[in-house]
Coordinates of all heavy atoms in Angstrom, one line a residue:
K322 N 44.4 -10.7 14.2 CA 45.5 -10.3 15.1 C 46.5 -9.3 14.3 O 46.9 -8.3 14.9 CB 46.3 -11.5 15.6 CG 47.4 -11.2 16.5 CD 48.0 -12.4 17.3 CE 48.7 -13.3 16.3 NZ 49.4 -14.4 17.1
E323 N 46.7 -9.7 13.1 CA 47.6 -8.8 12.2 C 47.0 -7.5 12.0 O 47.6 -6.4 12.0 CB 47.9 -9.5 10.9 CG 48.9 -10.7 11.1 CD 50.2 -10.3 11.8 OE1 50.8 -9.3 11.4 OE2 50.6 -11.0 12.7
K324 N 45.7 -7.5 11.7 CA 44.9 -6.2 11.5 C 45.0 -5.3 12.8 O 45.2 -4.1 12.7 CB 43.5 -6.5 11.1 CG 43.3 -7.1 9.8 CD 41.8 -7.3 9.5 CE 41.6 -8.1 8.2 NZ 42.1 -7.3 7.0
L325 N 44.9 -6.0 13.9 CA 44.9 -5.3 15.2 C 46.3 -4.7 15.4 O 46.4 -3.5 15.9 CB 44.6 -6.3 16.3 CG 44.1 -5.7 17.7 CD1 42.8 -5.0 17.6 CD2 44.0 -6.9 18.7
K326 N 47.3 -5.4 15.2 CA 48.7 -4.9 15.4 C 48.9 -3.7 14.5 O 49.5 -2.7 14.9 CB 49.7 -6.0 15.0 CG 49.7 -7.1 16.1 CD 50.5 -8.4 15.6 CE 51.9 -8.1 15.3 NZ 52.6 -9.4 14.9
N327 N 48.5 -3.8 13.2 CA 48.6 -2.7 12.3 C 47.9 -1.4 12.8 O 48.4 -0.3 12.7 CB 48.2 -3.1 10.9 CG 48.4 -2.0 9.9 OD1 49.5 -1.5 9.7 ND2 47.3 -1.5 9.3
A328 N 46.6 -1.6 13.3 CA 45.8 -0.5 13.8 C 46.5 0.1 15.0 O 46.5 1.4 15.1 CB 44.4 -1.0 14.2
Y329 N 47.1 -0.7 15.9 CA 47.7 -0.1 17.1 C 48.9 0.7 16.7 O 49.3 1.7 17.4 CB 48.1 -1.2 18.1 CG 47.0 -1.5 19.1 CD1 45.7 -1.9 18.7 CD2 47.2 -1.4 20.4 CE1 44.7 -2.1 19.6 CE2 46.2 -1.6 21.4 CZ 45.0 -2.0 21.0 OH 44.0 -2.3 21.9
R330 N 49.6 0.4 15.6 CA 50.8 1.2 15.2 C 50.4 2.6 14.8 O 51.2 3.5 14.7 CB 51.5 0.4 14.0 CG 52.4 -0.7 14.5 CD 53.3 -1.2 13.4 NE 52.5 -1.9 12.3 CZ 52.4 -3.2 12.3 NH1 53.0 -4.0 13.3 NH2 51.7 -3.8 11.3
Q331 N 49.1 2.8 14.5 CA 48.6 4.1 14.0 C 48.0 5.0 15.1 O 47.6 6.1 14.8 CB 47.6 3.9 12.9 CG 48.1 3.1 11.7 CD 47.0 2.7 10.7 OE1 46.2 3.6 10.3 NE2 46.8 1.5 10.4
I332 N 48.0 4.5 16.3 CA 47.4 5.2 17.4 C 48.4 6.3 17.9 O 49.6 6.1 18.2 CB 47.1 4.3 18.6 CG1 46.0 3.3 18.2 CG2 46.7 5.1 19.8 CD1 45.8 2.2 19.2
N333 N 47.9 7.5 17.9 CA 48.7 8.7 18.4 C 48.4 8.9 19.9 O 47.2 9.0 20.2 CB 48.4 9.9 17.6 CG 48.8 9.8 16.1 OD1 49.8 9.2 15.8 ND2 47.9 10.4 15.2
I334 N 49.4 9.0 20.7 CA 49.3 9.2 22.1 C 49.9 10.5 22.5 O 51.0 10.8 22.1 CB 50.0 8.0 22.9 CG1 49.4 6.7 22.4 CG2 49.8 8.2 24.4 CD1 50.3 5.5 22.9
G335 N 49.2 11.3 23.2 CA 49.7 12.6 23.6 C 48.6 13.4 24.3 O 47.6 13.0 24.7
N336 N 48.9 14.7 24.3 CA 48.0 15.7 24.9 C 46.6 15.5 24.4 O 46.3 15.6 23.2 CB 48.5 17.1 24.6 CG 47.7 18.2 25.3 OD1 46.5 18.1 25.5 ND2 48.4 19.2 25.8
P337 N 45.6 15.2 25.2 CA 44.3 14.9 24.8 C 43.5 16.1 24.2 O 42.5 15.9 23.5 CB 43.6 14.4 26.0 CG 44.3 15.0 27.2 CD 45.7 15.0 26.7
L338 N 44.0 17.3 24.5 CA 43.4 18.5 23.9 C 43.9 18.7 22.4 O 43.3 19.5 21.7 CB 43.8 19.7 24.7 CG 43.1 19.8 26.1 CD1 43.7 20.9 26.9 CD2 41.6 19.9 26.0
D339 N 44.9 18.0 22.0 CA 45.3 18.0 20.6 C 44.4 17.0 19.9 O 44.6 15.8 20.1 CB 46.8 17.7 20.5 CG 47.3 17.9 19.1 OD1 46.5 17.8 18.1 OD2 48.5 18.1 18.9
E340 N 43.6 17.4 19.0 CA 42.6 16.5 18.4 C 43.2 15.5 17.4 O 42.6 14.6 16.9 CB 41.5 17.3 17.6 CG 40.7 18.2 18.6 CD 39.7 19.0 17.9 OE1 38.9 18.5 17.1 OE2 39.7 20.3 18.1
R341 N 44.5 15.6 17.2 CA 45.2 14.6 16.3 C 45.5 13.4 17.1 O 45.9 12.4 16.5 CB 46.5 15.2 15.8 CG 46.3 16.4 14.8 CD 47.6 17.1 14.5 NE 48.1 17.8 15.7 CZ 49.2 18.5 15.7 NH1 49.9 18.7 14.6 NH2 49.7 19.1 16.8
N342 N 45.4 13.5 18.4 CA 45.8 12.3 19.3 C 44.5 11.5 19.6 O 43.4 12.0 19.8 CB 46.4 12.8 20.6 CG 47.8 13.4 20.4 OD1 48.5 12.9 19.5 ND2 48.1 14.4 21.2
H343 N 44.7 10.2 19.6 CA 43.6 9.2 19.9 C 43.5 8.9 21.3 O 42.4 8.5 21.8 CB 43.8 7.9 19.1 CG 44.0 8.1 17.6 ND1 45.2 8.0 17.0 CD2 43.0 8.4 16.7 CE1 45.0 8.2 15.7 NE2 43.7 8.4 15.5
M344 N 44.6 9.0 22.1 CA 44.6 8.5 23.5 C 45.5 9.5 24.3 O 46.6 9.9 23.9 CB 45.2 7.1 23.5 CG 45.0 6.4 24.9 SD 45.7 4.7 24.8 CE 47.1 4.9 25.8
G345 N 44.9 9.8 25.5 CA 45.7 10.6 26.4 C 46.3 9.8 27.5 O 46.5 8.6 27.4
P346 N 46.5 10.4 28.7 CA 47.1 9.7 29.8 C 46.2 9.0 30.7 O 44.9 9.1 30.6 CB 47.7 10.9 30.6 CG 46.7 12.0 30.4 CD 46.2 11.9 29.0
L347 N 46.7 8.1 31.6 CA 45.9 7.6 32.7 C 45.7 8.7 33.7 O 46.4 9.7 33.7 CB 46.7 6.4 33.3 CG 46.8 5.2 32.4 CD1 47.6 4.1 33.1 CD2 45.5 4.6 32.0
I348 N 44.8 8.4 34.7 CA 44.4 9.5 35.6 C 45.5 10.0 36.5 O 45.6 11.2 36.8 CB 43.2 9.1 36.4 CG1 42.7 10.2 37.3 CG2 43.5 7.8 37.2 CD1 42.2 11.4 36.5
D349 N 46.4 9.1 36.9 CA 47.5 9.5 37.8 C 48.6 8.4 37.8 O 48.5 7.3 37.1 CB 47.0 9.8 39.2 CG 46.3 8.6 39.8 OD1 46.5 7.5 39.4 OD2 45.4 8.9 40.7
R350 N 49.7 8.6 38.5 CA 50.8 7.7 38.6 C 50.4 6.4 39.3 O 51.0 5.3 39.0 CB 52.0 8.3 39.2 CG 52.6 9.5 38.3 CD 53.9 9.9 38.8 NE 54.4 11.0 37.9 CZ 55.7 11.4 37.9 NH1 56.5 10.9 38.8 NH2 56.1 12.4 37.1
D351 N 49.5 6.4 40.2 CA 49.0 5.2 40.8 C 48.4 4.3 39.8 O 48.6 3.0 39.8 CB 48.0 5.5 41.9 CG 48.6 6.1 43.2 OD1 49.9 6.0 43.3 OD2 47.9 6.6 44.0
A352 N 47.7 4.9 38.9 CA 47.0 4.1 37.8 C 48.1 3.5 36.9 O 48.0 2.3 36.4 CB 46.1 4.9 37.0
V353 N 49.2 4.2 36.7 CA 50.3 3.7 35.9 C 50.9 2.5 36.6 O 51.3 1.5 35.9 CB 51.4 4.8 35.6 CG1 52.6 4.2 34.9 CG2 50.8 5.9 34.8
E354 N 51.1 2.6 37.9 CA 51.7 1.4 38.6 C 50.8 0.2 38.5 O 51.3 -0.9 38.4 CB 51.9 1.8 40.1 CG 53.1 2.8 40.3 CD 54.4 2.3 39.7 OE1 54.7 1.1 40.0 OE2 55.0 3.1 39.0
Q355 N 49.5 0.4 38.6 CA 48.6 -0.7 38.5 C 48.6 -1.3 37.1 O 48.5 -2.6 36.9 CB 47.2 -0.2 38.8 CG 47.0 0.1 40.3 CD 45.7 0.9 40.5 OE1 44.8 0.9 39.7 NE2 45.6 1.5 41.7
Y356 N 48.8 -0.5 36.1 CA 48.9 -0.9 34.7 C 50.2 -1.8 34.5 O 50.2 -2.9 34.0 CB 49.0 0.3 33.8 CG 49.6 0.1 32.4 CD1 48.9 -0.3 31.3 CD2 51.0 0.5 32.2 CE1 49.5 -0.4 30.1 CE2 51.6 0.4 31.0 CZ 50.8 -0.1 29.9 OH 51.4 -0.2 28.7
L357 N 51.3 -1.3 35.1 CA 52.6 -2.1 35.0 C 52.5 -3.4 35.8 O 53.0 -4.4 35.3 CB 53.7 -1.2 35.5 CG 54.1 0.0 34.7 CD1 55.1 0.8 35.4 CD2 54.6 -0.4 33.3
S358 N 51.8 -3.4 36.9 CA 51.7 -4.6 37.7 C 50.9 -5.6 36.9 O 51.2 -6.8 37.0 CB 51.0 -4.2 39.0 OG 50.8 -5.4 39.8
A359 N 49.8 -5.2 36.3 CA 49.0 -6.1 35.5 C 49.8 -6.7 34.4 O 49.7 -7.9 34.1 CB 47.7 -5.4 35.0
I360 N 50.5 -5.9 33.7 CA 51.4 -6.5 32.6 C 52.3 -7.5 33.1 O 52.5 -8.6 32.5 CB 52.1 -5.3 31.8 CG1 51.1 -4.5 31.0 CG2 53.2 -5.9 31.0 CD1 51.7 -3.4 30.3
Q361 N 52.9 -7.3 34.2 CA 53.9 -8.2 34.8 C 53.2 -9.5 35.1 O 53.7 -10.6 34.9 CB 54.5 -7.6 36.1 CG 55.6 -8.5 36.7 CD 56.8 -8.8 35.8 OE1 57.1 -7.9 35.0 NE2 57.3 -10.0 35.9
K362 N 52.0 -9.4 35.7 CA 51.2 -10.6 36.0 C 50.8 -11.4 34.8 O 50.9 -12.7 34.8 CB 50.0 -10.3 36.8 CG 50.2 -9.8 38.2 CD 48.9 -9.4 38.9 CE 49.2 -8.9 40.3 NZ 48.0 -8.5 41.0
I363 N 50.5 -10.7 33.7 CA 50.1 -11.4 32.5 C 51.3 -12.2 32.0 O 51.1 -13.4 31.5 CB 49.6 -10.4 31.4 CG1 48.4 -9.6 31.9 CG2 49.3 -11.1 30.1 CD1 48.1 -8.4 31.1
K364 N 52.4 -11.6 32.0 CA 53.6 -12.3 31.5 C 54.0 -13.5 32.3 O 54.4 -14.5 31.8 CB 54.8 -11.3 31.4 CG 54.6 -10.2 30.3 CD 55.8 -9.2 30.4 CE 55.7 -8.2 29.3 NZ 56.8 -7.2 29.3
E365 N 53.9 -13.3 33.6 CA 54.2 -14.4 34.5 C 53.2 -15.6 34.3 O 53.6 -16.8 34.6 CB 54.1 -13.9 36.0 CG 55.2 -13.0 36.4 CD 55.0 -12.4 37.7 OE1 54.0 -12.7 38.4 OE2 55.9 -11.6 38.2
C366 N 52.0 -15.3 33.9 CA 51.0 -16.3 33.7 C 51.1 -17.0 32.3 O 50.3 -17.9 32.0 CB 49.5 -15.7 33.9 SG 49.1 -15.3 35.5
G367 N 52.0 -16.5 31.5 CA 52.2 -17.1 30.2 C 51.5 -16.4 29.0 O 51.4 -16.9 27.9
G368 N 51.0 -15.1 29.3 CA 50.4 -14.4 28.2 C 51.4 -14.0 27.1 O 52.6 -13.6 27.5
K369 N 51.1 -14.1 25.9 CA 52.0 -13.8 24.8 C 51.8 -12.4 24.3 O 50.7 -12.0 23.9 CB 51.7 -14.8 23.6 CG 51.9 -16.3 23.9 CD 51.5 -17.2 22.8 CE 51.7 -18.6 23.1 NZ 51.2 -19.5 22.0
Q370 N 52.8 -11.7 24.3 CA 52.8 -10.2 23.9 C 52.5 -10.1 22.4 O 53.3 -10.7 21.6 CB 54.1 -9.6 24.3 CG 54.1 -8.1 24.1 CD 55.4 -7.5 24.6 OE1 55.5 -7.2 25.8 NE2 56.4 -7.3 23.8
V371 N 51.5 -9.4 22.1 CA 51.2 -9.1 20.7 C 51.5 -7.7 20.3 O 52.1 -7.4 19.3 CB 49.7 -9.4 20.4 CG1 49.3 -9.0 19.0 CG2 49.3 -10.8 20.7
V372 N 51.1 -6.7 21.2 CA 51.5 -5.3 21.1 C 52.1 -4.9 22.4 O 51.5 -5.1 23.5 CB 50.3 -4.4 20.8 CG1 50.7 -2.9 20.8 CG2 49.7 -4.8 19.4
Q373 N 53.4 -4.4 22.4 CA 54.1 -4.1 23.6 C 53.6 -2.9 24.2 O 53.4 -1.8 23.6 CB 55.6 -4.0 23.3 CG 56.5 -3.7 24.5 CD 58.0 -3.7 24.1 OE1 58.3 -3.9 23.0 NE2 58.8 -3.4 25.1
G374 N 53.4 -3.0 25.6 CA 53.1 -1.8 26.4 C 54.3 -1.1 26.9 O 55.4 -1.3 26.4
G375 N 54.1 -0.3 27.9 CA 55.2 0.5 28.5 C 54.8 1.9 28.8 O 53.8 2.4 28.4
V376 N 55.6 2.5 29.6 CA 55.4 3.9 30.0 C 56.2 4.8 29.1 O 57.3 4.6 28.7 CB 55.9 4.2 31.5 CG1 55.7 5.6 31.9 CG2 55.2 3.2 32.4
L377 N 55.5 5.9 28.7 CA 56.1 6.9 27.8 C 56.7 8.0 28.7 O 56.1 8.5 29.6 CB 55.1 7.5 26.8 CG 54.5 6.5 25.8 CD1 53.3 7.1 25.2 CD2 55.6 6.1 24.8
E378 N 57.9 8.4 28.4 CA 58.6 9.4 29.2 C 59.2 10.5 28.4 O 59.5 10.4 27.2 CB 59.7 8.7 30.0 CG 59.2 7.6 30.9 CD 60.4 6.8 31.5 OE1 61.4 6.7 30.9 OE2 60.2 6.3 32.7
G379 N 59.5 11.7 29.1 CA 60.2 12.8 28.5 C 59.3 13.7 27.7 O 58.2 13.2 27.2
G380 N 59.7 14.9 27.5 CA 58.9 15.8 26.6 C 57.5 16.0 27.0 O 57.2 16.3 28.1
Q381 N 56.6 15.7 26.0 CA 55.1 15.9 26.3 C 54.6 14.9 27.3 O 53.5 15.0 27.8 CB 54.3 15.8 25.0 CG 54.4 14.5 24.3 CD 53.4 14.4 23.1 OE1 52.3 14.9 23.2 NE2 53.9 13.8 22.0
Y382 N 55.4 13.8 27.6 CA 55.0 12.8 28.5 C 55.5 13.0 29.9 O 55.6 12.0 30.7 CB 55.4 11.4 27.9 CG 55.0 11.2 26.5 CD1 55.9 10.8 25.5 CD2 53.7 11.2 26.1 CE1 55.6 10.6 24.2 CE2 53.3 11.0 24.8 CZ 54.2 10.7 23.9 OH 53.8 10.5 22.6
S383 N 56.0 14.2 30.2 CA 56.7 14.4 31.5 C 55.9 14.2 32.7 O 56.4 14.1 33.8 CB 57.3 15.8 31.5 OG 56.3 16.8 31.3
S384 N 54.5 14.2 32.6 CA 53.7 14.0 33.8 C 53.8 12.6 34.3 O 53.4 12.3 35.5 CB 52.2 14.2 33.4 OG 51.7 13.2 32.6
G385 N 54.4 11.7 33.5 CA 54.5 10.3 34.0 C 53.3 9.5 34.0 O 53.2 8.4 34.5
C386 N 52.2 10.0 33.3 CA 50.9 9.3 33.3 C 50.6 8.7 31.9 O 49.5 8.1 31.7 CB 49.8 10.2 33.7 SG 50.0 10.9 35.4
Y387 N 51.5 8.8 31.0 CA 51.2 8.3 29.6 C 51.8 6.9 29.4 O 52.9 6.6 29.8 CB 51.8 9.2 28.6 CG 51.2 10.5 28.4 CD1 51.6 11.6 29.3 CD2 50.2 10.8 27.5 CE1 51.0 12.8 29.2 CE2 49.6 12.0 27.4 CZ 50.0 13.1 28.2 OH 49.4 14.3 28.1
V388 N 50.9 6.0 28.9 CA 51.4 4.6 28.7 C 51.0 4.2 27.3 O 50.1 4.8 26.6 CB 50.7 3.6 29.7 CG1 51.1 4.0 31.1 CG2 49.2 3.5 29.5
K389 N 51.6 3.1 26.8 CA 51.2 2.6 25.5 C 50.2 1.5 25.7 O 50.3 0.7 26.6 CB 52.5 2.0 24.8 CG 53.5 3.0 24.5 CD 54.7 2.4 23.7 CE 55.6 1.6 24.6 NZ 56.8 1.1 23.8
P390 N 49.2 1.4 24.8 CA 48.2 0.3 24.9 C 48.9 -1.0 24.5 O 49.7 -1.1 23.6 CB 47.2 0.7 23.8 CG 47.9 1.6 22.8 CD 48.9 2.3 23.6
A391 N 48.5 -2.0 25.3 CA 49.1 -3.3 25.1 C 48.1 -4.4 24.7 O 46.9 -4.3 25.1 CB 49.8 -3.7 26.4
V392 N 48.5 -5.4 24.0 CA 47.7 -6.5 23.6 C 48.4 -7.8 23.9 O 49.6 -7.9 23.6 CB 47.3 -6.4 22.1 CG1 46.4 -7.6 21.7 CG2 46.7 -5.1 21.7
F393 N 47.7 -8.7 24.5 CA 48.2 -10.0 24.9 C 47.3 -11.2 24.4 O 46.1 -11.1 24.5 CB 48.4 -10.2 26.4 CG 49.5 -9.3 26.9 CD1 49.3 -8.0 27.4 CD2 50.8 -9.8 27.0 CE1 50.3 -7.3 27.9 CE2 51.9 -9.1 27.5 CZ 51.6 -7.8 28.0
E394 N 47.9 -12.2 23.8 CA 47.2 -13.4 23.5 C 47.2 -14.3 24.7 O 48.3 -14.6 25.2 CB 47.8 -14.1 22.3 CG 47.1 -15.4 21.9 CD 47.7 -16.0 20.6 OE1 48.6 -15.3 19.9 OE2 47.4 -17.2 20.4
V395 N 46.0 -14.7 25.2 CA 46.0 -15.5 26.4 C 45.0 -16.6 26.3 O 44.2 -16.7 25.4 CB 45.5 -14.5 27.6 CG1 46.5 -13.4 27.8 CG2 44.1 -14.0 27.3
D396 N 45.1 -17.5 27.3 CA 44.0 -18.5 27.4 C 42.9 -17.9 28.3 O 43.2 -17.2 29.2 CB 44.6 -19.8 28.1 CG 45.6 -20.5 27.2 OD1 45.4 -20.5 26.0 OD2 46.6 -21.1 27.8
N397 N 41.7 -18.4 28.1 CA 40.6 -17.8 28.8 C 40.6 -18.0 30.3 O 40.1 -17.2 31.1 CB 39.3 -18.4 28.2 CG 38.0 -17.8 28.9 OD1 37.7 -16.7 28.8 ND2 37.4 -18.6 29.7
D398 N 41.2 -19.1 30.7 CA 41.2 -19.5 32.1 C 42.2 -18.8 33.0 O 42.3 -19.1 34.2 CB 41.3 -21.0 32.3 CG 42.5 -21.6 31.7 OD1 43.3 -20.8 31.2 OD2 42.7 -22.8 31.8
L399 N 43.0 -17.9 32.4 CA 44.0 -17.2 33.3 C 43.2 -16.3 34.3 O 42.3 -15.7 34.0 CB 44.9 -16.2 32.4 CG 45.9 -16.9 31.5 CD1 46.8 -15.8 30.9 CD2 46.7 -17.9 32.2
E400 N 43.7 -16.4 35.5 CA 43.1 -15.7 36.6 C 42.9 -14.2 36.4 O 41.9 -13.5 36.6 CB 43.8 -15.9 37.9 CG 43.1 -15.2 39.1 CD 43.9 -15.5 40.4 OE1 44.9 -16.3 40.4 OE2 43.5 -14.9 41.5
I401 N 44.0 -13.5 35.8 CA 43.9 -12.1 35.6 C 42.9 -11.7 34.5 O 42.4 -10.6 34.6 CB 45.3 -11.6 35.2 CG1 45.3 -10.0 35.4 CG2 45.8 -12.0 33.8 CD1 46.7 -9.4 35.4
V402 N 42.6 -12.6 33.6 CA 41.6 -12.3 32.6 C 40.2 -12.1 33.3 O 39.3 -11.5 32.7 CB 41.5 -13.5 31.6 CG1 40.4 -13.2 30.6 CG2 42.9 -13.5 30.8
Q403 N 40.0 -12.8 34.4 CA 38.7 -12.6 35.1 C 38.6 -11.3 35.9 O 37.5 -11.0 36.4 CB 38.6 -13.8 36.1 CG 38.9 -15.2 35.5 CD 38.0 -15.5 34.3 OE1 36.8 -15.4 34.3 NE2 38.7 -15.9 33.2
C404 N 39.6 -10.5 36.0 CA 39.7 -9.3 36.7 C 39.6 -8.1 35.8 O 40.0 -8.1 34.6 CB 40.9 -9.2 37.5 SG 41.2 -10.6 38.7
E405 N 39.0 -7.0 36.3 CA 39.0 -5.8 35.6 C 40.3 -5.0 35.8 O 40.7 -4.7 37.0 CB 37.8 -4.9 36.0 CG 37.8 -3.6 35.3 CD 36.7 -2.6 35.9 OE1 36.5 -2.6 37.1 OE2 36.1 -1.9 35.1
T406 N 41.0 -4.7 34.7 CA 42.2 -3.8 34.8 C 41.8 -2.5 34.1 O 41.5 -2.5 33.0 CB 43.4 -4.5 34.1 OG1 43.6 -5.8 34.7 CG2 44.6 -3.6 34.2
F407 N 41.8 -1.4 34.9 CA 41.4 -0.1 34.4 C 42.5 0.6 33.7 O 43.0 1.6 34.1 CB 40.9 0.7 35.6 CG 39.6 1.4 35.3 CD1 38.5 0.7 34.9 CD2 39.5 2.8 35.5 CE1 37.3 1.4 34.7 CE2 38.3 3.5 35.3 CZ 37.2 2.7 34.9
A408 N 42.8 0.0 32.5 CA 44.0 0.5 31.7 C 43.8 -0.1 30.3 O 43.0 -1.0 30.1 CB 45.3 0.0 32.3
P409 N 44.6 0.5 29.4 CA 44.5 0.0 28.0 C 45.2 -1.3 27.7 O 46.2 -1.3 27.0 CB 45.1 1.2 27.2 CG 46.1 1.8 28.1 CD 45.5 1.6 29.5
I410 N 44.7 -2.3 28.3 CA 45.3 -3.7 28.2 C 44.2 -4.6 27.6 O 43.1 -4.7 28.2 CB 45.8 -4.3 29.5 CG1 46.9 -3.4 30.1 CG2 46.3 -5.7 29.3 CD1 47.4 -3.8 31.4
L411 N 44.5 -5.2 26.4 CA 43.5 -6.0 25.7 C 43.9 -7.4 25.6 O 45.1 -7.7 25.3 CB 43.3 -5.4 24.3 CG 42.2 -6.1 23.4 CD1 40.8 -5.9 24.0 CD2 42.3 -5.5 22.0
Y412 N 43.0 -8.3 25.9 CA 43.3 -9.8 25.8 C 42.6 -10.3 24.5 O 41.5 -10.0 24.3 CB 42.8 -10.5 27.0 CG 43.2 -10.0 28.3 CD1 42.4 -9.5 29.3 CD2 44.6 -10.1 28.7 CE1 42.8 -9.1 30.5 CE2 45.0 -9.6 29.9 CZ 44.1 -9.1 30.8 OH 44.6 -8.6 32.0
I413 N 43.3 -11.1 23.8 CA 42.7 -11.8 22.6 C 42.7 -13.3 22.9 O 43.7 -13.9 23.3 CB 43.4 -11.4 21.3 CG1 44.9 -11.7 21.3 CG2 43.2 -9.9 21.0 CD1 45.5 -11.5 19.9
I414 N 41.6 -13.9 22.6 CA 41.4 -15.3 23.0 C 40.7 -16.0 21.7 O 39.8 -15.4 21.1 CB 40.4 -15.4 24.2 CG1 41.0 -14.6 25.4 CG2 40.2 -16.9 24.5 CD1 39.9 -14.3 26.4

Side-chain angles (χ1 to χ4, degrees):
K322 182 168 71 173
E323 289 304 311
K324 292 180 185 297
L325 198 63
K326 289 165 64 175
N327 183 58
Y329 268 59
R330 282 193 286 266
Q331 301 175 53
I332 293 169
N333 295 324
I334 305 167
N336 189 320
L338 291 170
D339 186 337
E340 295 178 55
R341 295 169 295 184
N342 291 326
H343 302 106
M344 193 179 107
L347 294 177
I348 185 64
D349 55 26
R350 293 193 178 190
D351 286 343
V353 174
E354 289 304 313
Q355 292 169 14
Y356 158 87
L357 291 173
S358 176
I360 287 179
Q361 183 62 32
K362 288 179 182 177
I363 298 164
K364 291 179 178 179
E365 290 172 357
C366 292
K369 300 176 183 177
Q370 184 174 278
V371 175
V372 175
Q373 183 176 355
V376 179
L377 296 166
E378 299 175 329
Q381 64 171 320
Y382 307 124
S383 59
S384 70
C386 297
Y387 290 87
V388 301
K389 294 185 287 186
V392 180
F393 289 89
E394 182 178 344
V395 298
D396 293 328
N397 180 70
D398 58 359
L399 289 188
E400 182 179 353
I401 195 167
V402 175
Q403 312 303 309
C404 303
E405 179 188 35
T406 302
F407 224 54
I410 299 174
L411 180 66
Y412 306 118
I413 58 173
I414 305 162

